């Protein structure tokens, strides 16, 4: 009920500053947690609030609220941004990136495996899935290796590469450095130096470009 009332205040135009402050104070503890075990529940509560706003006002208005004060500067919103929730980042930045996924409908086994490995890094903040992917690819015949490497390139482009366009420079998620380090340092994936550089570029590792000597 409190979340519904908070959402109702946010749906009003203009927003009543006094009512907003009172309702935010009442629900803030429901929308934030420092206990990791409660994080999934807290995320569900946040999504419920967004849905309560989106249903009567529409997606465009919700995105407007999320990018402007007072909601944009709410403590729980800051906490959510700092959590680097991939789905939340994609939603709030959807106006900045193409909505068309050129790889939509691509059901190859290679692409599915590559995407799962990349997404696991982004969600777990460790590279064990890519270690396993590289080890499996290294055992394959050369033609199948090339197919898997092409799929990895597409997965890197569509997920971490695309997200780079909407992430704030001073708010980089932990998984990005984990991914960049793995792509740079891994010795198992059967790729040449130039192919490795290409993978890093498509994953939006700007250090590759920055290392190129200026003419």
């Amino acid at each position: 009920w409190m979340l519904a009332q908070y959402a109702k205040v946010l749906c009003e135009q203009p927003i009543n500053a006094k009512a907003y402050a009172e309702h935010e104070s009442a629900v803030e503890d429901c929308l934030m947690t420092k206990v990791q075990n409660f994080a999934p529940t807290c995320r569900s509560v946040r999504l419920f609030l967004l849905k309560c706003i989106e249903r009567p006002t529409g997606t465009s208005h919700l995105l407007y609220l999320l990018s402007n004060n007072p909601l944009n500067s709410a403590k729980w919103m800051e906490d959510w941004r700092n959590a680097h929730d991939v789905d939340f980042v994609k939603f709030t930045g959807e106006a900045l990136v193409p909505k068309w996924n050129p790889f939509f409908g691509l059901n190859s086994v290679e692409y599915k495996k590559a995407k799962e490995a990349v997404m696991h890094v982004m969600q777990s903040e460790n590279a064990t899935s890519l270690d396993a992917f590289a080890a499996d690819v290294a055992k394959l015949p050369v033609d199948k290796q090339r197919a898997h490497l092409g799929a990895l390139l597409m997965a890197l482009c569509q997920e971490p590469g695309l997200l780079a366009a909407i992430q704030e420079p001073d708010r980089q998620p932990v998984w990005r450095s984990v991914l960049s380090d793995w792509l740079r340092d891994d010795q198992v994936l059967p790729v040449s130096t130039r192919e490795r550089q290409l993978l890093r570029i498509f994953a939006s590792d700007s250090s590759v470009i920055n290392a190129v000597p200026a003419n």
Side-chain angles (χ1 to χ4, degrees), residues 71 81 113 115 188:
L71 191 56
R81 285 193 292 267
K113 288 176 63 176
K115 184 176 179 180
V188 178

Side-chain angles (χ1 to χ4, degrees), residues 57-107:
T57 63
T59 302
S60 295
H61 184 70
L62 173 57
L63 289 170
Y64 171 80
L65 288 176
L66 291 172
S67 60
N68 289 274
N69 291 332
L71 191 56
N72 183 58
S73 59
K75 290 181 180 179
W76 67 270
M77 276 287 293
E78 180 74 10
D79 184 68
W80 202 356
R81 285 193 292 267
N82 288 334
H84 301 294
D85 184 322
V86 173
D87 292 330
F88 180 63
V89 172
K90 286 183 177 179
F91 176 71
T92 55
E94 68 171 13
L96 302 175
V97 295
K99 293 180 174 58
W100 176 62
N101 177 359
F103 311 126
F104 179 77
L106 187 60
N107 296 317

